[in-house]
Amino acid sequence: KSPFIKKQSRQPHQIMIVPSLVLALSYALLVLFYLSSTSHGYTPSTTPSRRAFINSAIIAGAASPLVASAAGSDPYVPNVEDVKIIGTLGISLDKLAAKVGDSSQWGDASSNLAQFAKDPNFYPNYARNFISKTVKNNAEADPRVGKINLAVKTIISVKDLIDLGTGTDAECKEAVARVRKAQVLIGDFLEGSGVKDERVTKYIAAHR
């Protein structure tokens, strides 16, 4: 069982009461001003619309650090739950390395790799979605996503090696080396993920 699938407790959101009051009072004052202006005979041509006042309240809130944090817009904190799929892939490669290192198991390994190669974009897309939590523009080009892209391509390349090989010791060593390279690349991704977790630290240390 992969250590990455251990259930994690969620940290409760902290509530900032004072900023919430600031936002509420700001909005109340805007509404009162709107009502006052209409009661004093301002015409629609000289008085901003209700929507304009609401938008002003939203913009004012977005411009204020205190109000922004009160509205629940705390920055994303990387969580091990969000990278466990990739971490589990890295750990599962130990079994693949054992198979490709033994030419008598190449047939089984080739079947496993054929299944893996059917959806080569799954893990890169997963990595991109994770990175997009903190990189809002062009997460696809982030070097960390590139690590997973290369890891997947390296894993798939092992299939051609064993399908075309004759089972020599040199070929077995090369196949294992490619699997280990993929594990290192996954470790690089995890190291750059910002996730602070003992399981991630152990994986990185084991695949340098």
Side-chain angles (χ1 to χ4, degrees):
K1 184 177 180 180
S2 169
F4 280 91
I5 63 175
K6 179 180 178 182
K7 194 172 184 180
Q8 296 291 297
S9 60
R10 296 184 180 275
Q11 296 295 325
H13 292 290
Q14 295 182 345
I15 299 175
M16 297 183 66
I17 297 175
V18 174
S20 297
L21 290 175
V22 173
L23 179 60
L25 288 172
S26 299
Y27 180 77
L29 288 172
L30 287 169
V31 172
L32 286 173
F33 181 76
Y34 172 79
L35 293 175
S36 175
S37 66
T38 55
S39 66
H40 283 79
Y42 286 91
T43 64
S45 62
T46 58
T47 305
S49 67
R50 184 185 301 271
R51 172 59 61 187
F53 276 103
I54 294 174
N55 288 344
S56 296
I58 294 172
I59 293 171
S64 168
L66 292 177
V67 175
S69 61
S73 57
D74 293 334
Y76 169 73
V77 177
N79 190 296
V80 69
E81 288 294 307
D82 296 332
V83 297
K84 69 180 182 180
I85 296 295
I86 291 177
T88 299
L89 169 64
I91 291 171
S92 71
L93 292 178
D94 284 336
K95 293 182 178 179
L96 179 63
K99 287 183 179 181
V100 299
D102 178 0
S103 61
S104 67
Q105 299 187 59
W106 277 12
D108 190 21
S110 181
S111 297
N112 294 153
L113 288 165
Q115 290 296 319
F116 181 84
K118 286 183 177 180
D119 191 2
N121 294 321
F122 176 80
Y123 290 99
N125 286 343
Y126 189 96
R128 183 199 62 208
N129 290 339
F130 171 77
I131 295 301
S132 67
K133 293 176 183 290
T134 52
V135 176
K136 301 306 179 184
N137 296 315
N138 200 21
E140 182 77 31
D142 190 278
R144 292 166 292 182
V145 178
K147 297 286 186 181
I148 300 303
N149 268 312
L150 183 55
V152 169
K153 290 177 181 178
T154 302
I155 294 167
I156 293 175
S157 75
V158 177
K159 178 171 169 51
D160 288 338
L161 175 63
I162 62 178
D163 285 351
L164 300 175
T166 58
T168 64
D169 287 344
E171 289 168 342
C172 288
K173 289 180 180 179
E174 173 61 21
V176 171
R178 293 187 189 187
V179 175
R180 297 306 184 197
K181 178 183 177 182
Q183 289 182 306
V184 171
L185 289 166
I186 290 171
D188 290 343
F189 171 85
L190 293 173
E191 187 172 24
S193 69
V195 172
K196 305 299 182 184
D197 188 272
E198 182 182 4
R199 287 161 289 174
V200 170
T201 302
K202 285 183 177 179
Y203 178 92
I204 295 169
H207 300 92
R208 288 291 188 183

